[in-house]
Amino acid sequence: MIIGVDVGTSMTKADAYDDEGRKLASAERASTLHQYDDGRVEQDLEDVLASAADVIRRVAADAGRPLRALALTGQGDGLWLRDRDGYATRPPISWLDDRAADVVRAWQDDGTVHEVYRRTGTGLFPGCHAPLLRSLARDEPESLERAAVAGYCVDALIQRLTGEITVDASDASLPFLDVATRRYDEDAIAACGVSASRHLLPDPAPPGTVFALDARGAEITGLPVGTPVTAGPFDLPACAAGAGLSQPGDGLLIIGTTLACEVFTDRVDMTADAAEPAGMWLCTPDPATWLRAMPAMVGTAGLDWMLEFLGVGIDALGGLLEGTRPGAGGVSALPFLSVSGERAPFVDTRARGQIEGVTLSTRRGDVVRAVCEGIAYTARHCFERAAFAAPGDGRLVACGGGSRSGPWAQIFADVLDTPLVVPDDPGLGTRGAAITALQALGDDVDPASWAAPSRVVEPTAEGGQCYADGYLRYRAHVDTARDFWARQAQGFRRPEERPLAGMHAS
């Protein structure tokens, strides 16, 4: 059997699979995320390691079969600084972190963002390596001085379990890798002013690399010394593999903490969207294919916040949505609730959420539906920028916690005007990691044959007509809001741009 482990932002999951893709056992454990009022978001490497060890031990005991390999995937971006023994030199910085927002804004103004995108196809945002390294060099240089490696979540676990300092090409894609050659672009590193930290970046492991559990890793996991271990790809491409997608034009919608919209492609075009850099090109385990990804900061976290604000739990979502109709009774929402702003389909560190159209007759369900519709509109915007194929030219699979809600999945199908294939098993990250491990071990595995049973959510005529107009209004709303955020940041310097007394943004 293969044990796949997905170390997410809020949850660590493990699943055991047999060689045909049948799930044998599962376990999960919540992760601790430290969020501070000043926008810092951090984790504890020891807590993350303990969560992985816990679910691995439980799944191995429950499955009770000989283990062929341990397959790891997990969250990407952020900055996980470690010493040569794999211990954190400072708390890992989450991809949700906002401390480097001022760096990104300065780079947008001076052209650095465009230069890096031209070279690597990555749109810089506050929670990725480049601005975080620059921010720490300015504010906390001792952390960099103590570090031997600047990595990510998955390779942090690999170092502690195997003793190897490495990185998967999918993680390294963000933001310094030339994804076509799988080598770092030294000019991109220099453009960001972080050449002094270049020695902290390990070269990406070749495709198909297999590591081995050492004595320390065996003690942590309870597995035998020498157990084969694979590292990556990180969760976005791992979910694509777990969904059984591999053909150019196939798409994946992840409705999770991140709203990730991905499209498989067999070519890399660094000039795509060069006018406004956003999103990223990602290496996959197959050197001949890539993912054009638009991972938005909006997602289930925004919906969770709204439900908590209204004093209801996630179990109330279905009833709230079923009591409303497309258009949310005239209420609309911009769902940009992350403290670090937005990274796709545009990068704006000042992006903030808005709700408008509320009257005394507005019900709680209308507000919840407006947020769900706003997130779905963001997905459509992301897929447009990622050049997702028209219906009939590519499959679109939806996964993540949000896909479990039938009414919300219907909203996505209607807004995207595309049938959604929704797997019965939402654990696509662990499944994709397991598939990658088998391929690395030399097995001839077809990801499509490993795909879990699924249902298809067809778009409806009523929803499609309503949302076609609603999407145009949403895009206009976004454009107006972005102009307002920019002018607000400038202090409304021109007298004619100053708001009248008593006026405020909706």
Side-chain angles (χ1 to χ4, degrees), residues 40 42 62 207 218 326 472:
R40 290 177 298 129
E42 298 177 344
D62 290 346
L472 295 177

Side-chain angles (χ1 to χ4, degrees), residues 107 110-113 115-116 119 124 134 176 185-195:
W107 286 349
D110 68 15
T112 300
V113 166
E115 175 67 10
V116 172
R119 293 184 172 279
L124 300 176
R134 185 68 175 268
F176 298 126
D185 188 300
E186 303 298 337
D187 289 334
I189 295 172
C192 294
V194 295
S195 295

Side-chain angles (χ1 to χ4, degrees), residues 407-434:
W408 199 10
Q410 187 63 64
I411 290 174
F412 276 103
D414 287 343
V415 168
L416 297 171
D417 194 26
T418 301
L420 290 186
V421 179
V422 183
D424 296 339
D425 175 16
L428 298 187
T430 61
R431 188 178 292 271

Side-chain angles (χ1 to χ4, degrees), residues 123-184:
L124 300 176
F125 72 100
C128 71
H129 258 48
L132 288 173
L133 287 171
R134 185 68 175 268
S135 177
L136 289 183
R138 177 190 65 193
D139 302 329
E140 199 182 299
E142 63 277 7
S143 294
L144 296 176
E145 293 168 2
R146 292 195 301 267
V149 55
Y152 305 81
C153 175
V154 176
D155 52 83
L157 296 183
I158 283 290
Q159 188 178 1
R160 290 292 289 276
L161 298 180
T162 72
E164 299 284 350
I165 295 177
T166 186
V167 67
D168 187 75
S170 61
D171 269 317
S173 299
L174 314 167
F176 298 126
L177 203 69
D178 179 336
V179 295
T181 64
R182 298 194 175 215
R183 293 193 294 268
Y184 289 114

Side-chain angles (χ1 to χ4, degrees), residues 184-268:
Y184 289 114
D185 188 300
E186 303 298 337
D187 289 334
I189 295 172
C192 294
V194 295
S195 295
S197 298
R198 170 65 177 86
H199 65 287
L200 301 178
L201 306 176
D203 290 333
T209 298
V210 179
F211 305 96
L213 213 61
D214 63 13
R216 181 174 62 172
E219 182 179 357
I220 291 170
T221 62
L223 302 176
V225 172
T227 298
V229 185
T230 55
F234 81 97
D235 56 5
L236 297 190
C239 284
L245 303 181
S246 59
Q247 298 301 313
D250 286 346
L252 180 68
L253 169 65
I254 304 176
I255 314 170
T257 305
T258 297
L259 180 76
C261 303
E262 310 174 352
V263 180
F264 258 106
T265 178
D266 57 2
R267 64 185 183 89
V268 174

Side-chain angles (χ1 to χ4, degrees), residues 39-416:
R40 290 177 298 129
V41 185
E42 298 177 344
Q43 292 191 268
D44 182 333
L45 177 54
E46 301 309 310
D47 175 70
V48 172
L49 185 65
S51 72
D54 176 50
V55 296
I56 290 169
R57 286 176 176 269
R58 284 193 280 147
V59 164
D62 290 346
R65 294 194 184 185
L67 180 64
R68 292 188 62 193
L70 179 64
L72 302 182
T73 186
Q75 58 184 292
D77 289 308
L79 183 62
W80 297 59
L81 293 176
R82 292 108 59 190
D83 63 20
R84 292 199 176 277
D85 293 322
Y87 292 93
T89 62
R90 65 154 349 272
I93 302 174
S94 169
W95 59 274
L96 292 164
D97 194 271
D98 187 46
R99 78 189 67 201
D102 63 324
V103 175
V104 174
R105 287 194 290 268
W107 286 349
Q108 287 176 320
D109 291 340
D110 68 15
T112 300
V113 166
H114 283 79
E115 175 67 10
V116 172
Y117 188 88
R118 183 178 70 83
R119 293 184 172 279
T120 71
T122 294
L124 300 176
F125 72 100
C128 71
H129 258 48
L132 288 173
L133 287 171
R134 185 68 175 268
S135 177
L136 289 183
R138 177 190 65 193
D139 302 329
E140 199 182 299
E142 63 277 7
S143 294
L144 296 176
E145 293 168 2
R146 292 195 301 267
V149 55
Y152 305 81
C153 175
V154 176
D155 52 83
L157 296 183
I158 283 290
Q159 188 178 1
R160 290 292 289 276
L161 298 180
T162 72
E164 299 284 350
I165 295 177
T166 186
V167 67
D168 187 75
S170 61
D171 269 317
S173 299
L174 314 167
F176 298 126
L177 203 69
D178 179 336
V179 295
T181 64
R182 298 194 175 215
R183 293 193 294 268
Y184 289 114
D185 188 300
E186 303 298 337
D187 289 334
I189 295 172
C192 294
V194 295
S195 295
S197 298
R198 170 65 177 86
H199 65 287
L200 301 178
L201 306 176
D203 290 333
T209 298
V210 179
F211 305 96
L213 213 61
D214 63 13
R216 181 174 62 172
E219 182 179 357
I220 291 170
T221 62
L223 302 176
V225 172
T227 298
V229 185
T230 55
F234 81 97
D235 56 5
L236 297 190
C239 284
L245 303 181
S246 59
Q247 298 301 313
D250 286 346
L252 180 68
L253 169 65
I254 304 176
I255 314 170
T257 305
T258 297
L259 180 76
C261 303
E262 310 174 352
V263 180
F264 258 106
T265 178
D266 57 2
R267 64 185 183 89
V268 174
D269 180 8
M270 297 301 188
T271 64
D273 297 322
E276 184 177 15
M280 55 199 67
W281 294 85
L282 300 176
C283 292
T284 73
D286 177 3
T289 62
W290 296 264
L291 282 168
R292 178 74 173 114
M294 288 282 170
M297 303 294 283
V298 307
T300 55
L303 179 61
D304 290 342
W305 175 87
M306 175 56 67
L307 293 173
E308 181 181 359
F309 188 78
L310 295 175
V312 298
I314 189 64
D315 56 334
L317 176 61
L320 288 168
L321 292 180
E322 288 173 354
T324 61
R325 298 181 64 80
V331 182
S332 63
L334 297 185
F336 310 120
L337 299 182
S338 171
V339 294
S340 57
E342 190 49 83
R343 62 174 174 174
F346 56 85
V347 177
D348 196 326
T349 62
R350 306 180 183 94
R352 292 296 179 262
Q354 300 180 20
I355 296 176
E356 68 174 21
V358 178
T359 69
L360 291 175
S361 64
T362 297
R363 299 167 296 169
R364 291 190 303 177
D366 295 323
V367 177
V368 171
R369 186 179 191 99
V371 171
C372 289
E373 290 177 348
I375 295 172
Y377 287 141
T378 301
R380 178 167 173 173
H381 194 180
C382 286
F383 274 121
E384 285 184 354
R385 293 209 62 182
F388 176 64
D393 296 329
R395 297 175 65 228
L396 180 59
V397 176
C399 67
S403 67
R404 301 181 191 180
S405 167
W408 199 10
Q410 187 63 64
I411 290 174
F412 276 103
D414 287 343
V415 168
L416 297 171

